[in-house]
Amino acid sequence: MQIAEILHRKGSDVATVAPETTVRTLLGTLAEHNIGAVVVSPDGNRIFGIVSERDVVRSLHARGAALLDTPVSEIMTVDVRTCDPDDRVDGLRSTMTEHRIRHLPVVRDGHLIGIVSIGDVVKSAISELATERQHLVEYVQGQY
């Protein structure tokens, strides 16, 4: 299965915030969309970074409540791994596991076109296993 199939099923909406957005506003965005990370982008197209709940928790522990009025650009991850819609999901699963990444922006020709979470990847694996199981059941029962 390719990443494009996941995006086709879930949609290509990506929550983004500008680099100067405060952590307080970021938290509202995460809560409003019920998500764990947002792409930091000045225009919704170019990727400057990514910031997750985990980044906020680590920074809050180190900096205290003053963090809430800090721009997300100060806590975001700037070395953002991305994937292409033509990449295979099994390769992405390995990358996410090996590098402990839960969210990967999907980029085509330098433009942000979606985001894939570890939950999306797990859901696709379960779907593939269910399909394989059904085919095996049909084969064993002679219905194939």
Side-chain angles (χ1 to χ4, degrees):
M1 178 183 287
Q2 292 181 315
I3 302 305
E5 293 176 56
I6 291 177
L7 291 181
H8 179 72
R9 289 181 187 164
K10 74 174 261 185
S12 58
D13 291 340
V14 182
T16 63
V17 295
E20 64 274 6
T21 301
T22 65
V23 172
R24 184 183 312 275
T25 302
L26 164 71
L27 292 173
T29 300
L30 292 172
E32 176 185 337
H33 296 284
N34 194 29
I35 55 176
V38 298
V39 174
V40 180
S41 173
D43 57 10
N45 191 28
R46 294 174 291 152
I47 300 173
F48 279 25
I50 192 166
V51 63
S52 69
E53 297 165 322
R54 186 179 290 173
D55 295 321
V56 174
V57 169
R58 287 181 179 151
S59 297
L60 188 59
H61 175 72
R63 296 165 88 173
L67 175 74
L68 296 175
D69 297 315
T70 302
V72 296
S73 59
E74 290 188 23
I75 68 166
M76 70 185 183
T77 300
V78 293
D79 184 22
V80 181
R81 291 188 181 270
T82 63
C83 61
D84 186 274
D86 296 329
D87 289 345
R88 305 240 351 121
V89 173
D90 52 354
L92 184 65
R93 189 169 36 239
S94 297
T95 298
M96 293 177 102
T97 301
E98 180 181 332
H99 298 283
R100 299 183 56 147
I101 299 170
R102 294 183 295 164
H103 302 88
L104 249 82
V106 183
V107 176
R108 173 167 275 155
D109 300 324
H111 302 287
L112 178 65
I113 64 164
I115 192 165
V116 178
S117 72
I118 192 69
D120 299 327
V121 171
V122 168
K123 190 182 297 183
S124 74
I126 291 169
S127 176
E128 283 183 21
L129 288 172
T131 300
E132 287 177 23
R133 179 189 175 282
Q134 183 60 37
H135 285 122
L136 287 171
V137 167
E138 290 171 1
Y139 179 76
V140 168
Q141 293 176 349
Q143 299 173 2
Y144 212 82

